Amino acid sequence: MKNLAGNSVAIFLYKFVVNGNRVDFILNESIAEDMYPEVDEEIKPLIHACCETLSRYKNMCASGAIMDGNILDDGCFEVMLKKGLGKKFRETEKQNLFKDADEIAKKLMEVMARRTKEMDNGTYPGPQEIELGRTSNKENIKRGLHQRGIELKKPIDSSLIRPNLKQLRPEDLPVGVVASTGYDHRGRCITFEHDKYGDLGRIVLIETENKEMKMNAEFCESVMSAESKMKKREIFQEVVRVIHEGFSQL
């Protein structure tokens, strides 16, 4: 068995596969059967973040694996993108993607090591009833991404911030809107939620190659009536306007 780089694989761990307009996560079935519930919940936010990032590049991969993670014959873990795709990434985004891919692998190898120890001690309970590919609680994933964003948040380079900027306050946002730390491989992420319309979207602050700060706003699509969707979009547009004006002050 070979990985995307053509290297010999000793143990297949996982792969991310383009499936139409989405990216799916495929886990080694034996590891899935041995999965611990707490580890399953820990890796879900990481998988979600990787899928979001890879989905932005899915059009460059018609089908099949877009990224895989394997233990090679020499015992080392290797994560690889589809050939040539790595050149399309900004370096920060790619490194953050690989960091999460590596973290997923470490947790899967922990599962294998713990189950092997149980077998040696005669306490192995047998295959677990964790449904492969099941939908995890959305709120749990959101909390995991929020925590990940806080843990890895780095101060923004002061040279990229205009002097005398007014710090925004919660009351500057539209009524009913709450902002919180999110997680995105491209840069600092802020998510916005409305008490009636739910997730509004996110704003990602991306440092460009010219050491400038780019603000990227992304509306969160959801199933609702046309009237509600229009109102939701209007609220998010107002959020973006407030944030943009805040960054544009001299």
Side-chain angles (χ1 to χ4, degrees):
M1 181 179 178
K2 306 285 186 181
N3 68 354
L4 286 174
N7 297 321
S8 296
V9 171
I11 302 175
F12 160 70
L13 294 181
Y14 62 79
K15 60 183 174 181
F16 290 84
V17 177
V18 175
N19 184 6
N21 63 352
R22 69 176 192 268
V23 173
D24 292 336
F25 176 75
I26 308 297
L27 176 61
N28 178 309
E29 290 189 18
S30 295
I31 298 177
E33 289 181 350
D34 281 343
M35 184 62 69
Y36 295 92
E38 67 273 16
V39 178
D40 184 55
E41 289 303 319
E42 288 173 0
I43 65 174
K44 282 292 197 301
L46 303 175
I47 293 170
H48 181 88
C50 290
C51 283
E52 280 195 330
T53 293
L54 293 170
S55 291
R56 291 192 285 270
Y57 298 87
K58 65 181 183 296
N59 292 335
M60 300 177 188
C61 179
S63 62
I66 188 170
M67 186 173 81
D68 63 6
N70 302 275
I71 297 176
L72 304 183
D73 285 343
D74 62 5
C76 294
F77 169 72
E78 183 174 57
V79 58
M80 291 298 301
L81 287 165
K82 189 175 181 66
K83 186 176 181 180
L85 188 60
K87 297 178 182 178
K88 307 295 183 180
F89 279 74
R90 292 184 183 278
E91 190 60 28
T92 296
E93 182 182 26
K94 183 167 64 175
Q95 291 304 317
N96 286 333
L97 172 66
F98 283 176
K99 185 182 297 183
D100 280 353
D102 186 62
E103 187 67 22
I104 293 170
K106 288 178 180 178
K107 292 184 180 297
L108 296 181
M109 287 187 278
E110 173 192 335
V111 170
M112 291 190 292
R114 288 171 62 184
R115 291 303 189 191
T116 298
K117 186 175 181 179
E118 289 173 354
M119 290 179 184
D120 293 341
N121 294 335
T123 58
Y124 177 61
Q128 304 302 291
E129 296 182 1
I130 289 185
E131 184 181 346
L132 183 62
R134 73 158 190 252
T135 301
S136 184
N137 185 293
K138 184 178 178 181
E139 290 302 315
N140 287 346
I141 289 179
K142 186 187 298 184
R143 282 194 293 270
L145 293 171
H146 173 70
Q147 187 61 38
R148 186 80 171 163
I150 291 176
E151 290 173 355
L152 301 182
K153 184 164 63 177
K154 297 180 180 179
I156 295 177
D157 187 341
S158 59
S159 66
L160 301 176
I161 302 177
R162 292 171 180 264
N164 303 320
L165 277 177
K166 173 188 173 184
Q167 184 172 355
L168 292 173
R169 303 164 299 174
E171 53 265 36
D172 293 326
L173 295 173
V175 175
V177 176
V178 175
S180 60
T181 299
Y183 182 58
D184 192 290
H185 291 149
R186 294 168 292 180
R188 181 75 66 87
C189 177
I190 308 168
T191 61
F192 299 90
E193 187 172 354
H194 190 267
D195 57 11
K196 178 180 179 180
Y197 298 104
D199 292 333
L200 296 175
R202 72 176 69 181
I203 286 178
V204 185
L205 303 178
I206 305 171
E207 185 178 339
T208 69
E209 296 176 357
N210 297 324
K211 293 297 182 180
E212 297 177 342
M213 190 62 71
K214 172 184 175 183
M215 189 180 86
N216 197 70
E218 298 175 354
F219 178 67
C220 178
E221 297 286 353
S222 56
V223 179
M224 56 177 57
S225 68
E227 182 180 355
S228 294
K229 184 175 290 188
M230 182 170 62
K231 181 61 178 177
K232 174 180 172 179
R233 189 178 292 275
E234 288 175 356
I235 295 172
F236 184 60
Q237 288 174 342
E238 177 62 16
V239 169
V240 174
R241 184 193 66 77
V242 169
I243 303 296
H244 184 268
E245 286 186 357
F247 274 102
S248 299
Q249 293 174 18
L250 294 177

